[in-house]
């Protein structure tokens, strides 16, 4: 894909979670020096009563259109150097977002936030898109703040100057997942953040070697797990800026990945790979 067509694209549906996702997407676009595209899909009501759903929350269509305009204005003030494109389409949410993902570096969608020990629910549209998109999809919970992706400040300095928290990569024994590993290393590099890789004992030790050479400035810490790595990934996500998990192209996230998406303590990137 030509770099001049890449964007960070975020779905806007008028919910609080989508606006928080847009704020996260704007920061990601600024980090990667890419345009930010705000997309409001499904201008025709998708359910009765003149409302439609992107994250399984009924939102009046007029409010969504106003939210798209407001988000574009607020983000342009917060990030004056950022190239922001706001677009509406009558295409239903899932096909519109899947089509937008083709031209995106990353597609960003909102989730509804924490609901106690049960984690946070993810709408059927968000899960459907994450299961089928050709590009990485980042799911951002409602209430996510800029300081949540950085090391807590203790000396009174501005939170925006604090180092980024680690990027955590969950890696299965499929050593050919170059797209997944490359995304995690690149994401850590643009943040100047350490990369923590959680993987089973059966993973060949040579898997990460070429990536360490390609990203020599990135500090990499490996965590070898005997058995199910899910609990270790959940534990690591509580102290991470982003959790990166993979799915095989043509298949949706497995049960373990869906559990991580719902219960992780930070945004989750779902990356397709062969």
């Amino acid at each position: 894909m030509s770099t001049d067509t890449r964007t960070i694209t975020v779905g806007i549906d008028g919910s609080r979670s989508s606006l928080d996702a847009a704020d996260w997407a704007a920061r990601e676009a600024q980090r990667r020096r890419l345009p930010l595209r705000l997309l409001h899909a499904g201008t025709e009501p998708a359910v009765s009563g003149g409302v439609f759903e992107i994250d399984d929350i009924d939102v009046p269509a007029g409010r969504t259109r106003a939210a798209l305009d407001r988000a574009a204005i607020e983000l342009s003030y917060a990030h004056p150097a950022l190239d922001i494109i706001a677009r509406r389409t009558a295409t239903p949410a899932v096909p519109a977002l899947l089509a937008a993902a083709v031209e995106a570096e990353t597609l960003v969608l909102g989730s509804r936030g924490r609901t106690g020990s049960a984690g946070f629910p993810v709408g059927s549209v968000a899960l459907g898109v994450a299961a089928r998109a050709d590009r990485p999809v980042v799911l951002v919970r409602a209430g996510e703040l800029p300081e949540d992706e950085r090391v807590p400040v203790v000396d009174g300095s501005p939170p925006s100057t604090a180092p980024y928290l680690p990027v955590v990569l969950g890696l299965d024994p499929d050593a050919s997942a170059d797209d997944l590993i490359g995304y995690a290393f690149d994401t850590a590099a643009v943040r100047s953040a350490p990369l923590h890789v959680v993987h089973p004992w059966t993973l060949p030790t040579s898997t990460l070697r070429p990536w360490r050479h390609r990203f020599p400035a990135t500090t990499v810490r490996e965590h070898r797990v005997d058995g199910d790595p899910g609990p270790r990934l959940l534990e690591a996500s509580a102290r991470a800026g982003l959790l990166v998990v993979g799915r095989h192209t043509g298949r949706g996230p497995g049960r373990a990945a869906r559990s991580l998406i719902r219960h992780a303590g930070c945004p989750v990137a779902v990356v397709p790979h062969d």
Side-chain angles (χ1 to χ4, degrees):
M1 182 185 304
S2 174
T3 56
D4 60 357
T5 64
R6 293 185 304 159
T7 64
I8 301 297
T9 297
V10 57
I12 298 290
D13 69 352
S15 66
R16 181 70 257 171
S17 62
S18 76
L19 298 179
D20 290 338
D23 190 49
W24 188 95
R27 300 194 302 274
E28 183 71 358
Q30 186 166 281
R31 284 189 287 263
R32 294 183 178 272
R33 300 181 180 180
L34 293 174
L36 174 66
R37 181 181 180 187
L38 311 178
L39 178 62
H40 160 211
T43 54
E44 294 299 323
V47 295
S48 61
V51 296
F52 71 96
E53 299 180 0
I54 282 196
D55 202 20
D56 290 349
I57 298 177
D58 293 351
V59 180
R63 175 179 150 193
T64 306
R65 289 190 289 270
L68 177 67
D69 297 334
R70 184 173 67 253
I73 293 170
E74 290 179 354
L75 291 172
S76 66
Y77 278 114
H79 307 275
L82 193 59
D83 182 7
I84 300 175
I85 308 161
R87 178 171 168 262
R88 300 182 181 92
T89 176
T91 304
V94 170
L97 291 165
L98 289 173
V102 174
E103 298 181 353
E105 175 76 11
T106 301
L107 179 66
V108 183
L109 300 173
S111 296
R112 277 177 273 170
R114 292 194 176 278
T115 56
S117 61
F120 64 94
V122 182
S124 60
V125 168
L127 279 178
V129 173
R132 296 163 54 192
D134 292 330
R135 302 291 298 166
V137 176
V138 175
L139 302 172
V140 180
R141 66 177 184 235
E144 186 74 17
L145 299 173
E147 55 265 33
D148 292 336
E149 59 190 7
R150 294 179 180 268
V151 174
V153 173
V154 295
D155 59 359
S157 59
S160 61
T161 64
Y164 283 100
L165 289 167
V167 172
V168 174
L169 169 62
L171 198 57
D172 63 26
D174 184 356
S176 65
D178 285 348
D179 289 341
L180 172 63
I181 300 172
Y183 178 86
F185 268 87
D186 184 61
T187 299
V190 298
R191 298 171 179 228
S192 297
L195 176 63
H196 293 184
V197 184
V198 178
H199 61 78
W201 281 97
T202 54
L203 189 76
T205 57
S206 60
T207 299
L208 298 178
R209 187 176 301 149
W211 298 98
R212 290 175 180 268
H213 288 306
R214 190 176 301 182
F215 294 89
T218 298
T219 301
V220 181
R221 179 178 299 174
E222 294 187 56
H223 304 271
R224 289 179 171 264
V225 178
D226 186 10
D228 179 14
R232 186 63 179 269
L233 286 168
L234 283 178
E235 179 185 356
S237 74
R239 302 181 300 276
L242 184 69
L243 172 62
V244 181
V245 297
R247 68 166 180 84
H248 286 280
T249 303
R251 289 188 284 171
R255 180 180 300 178
R258 291 196 299 272
S259 178
L260 289 170
I261 289 170
R262 288 189 168 95
H263 296 277
C266 64
V268 180
V270 181
V271 181
H273 63 86
D274 295 333

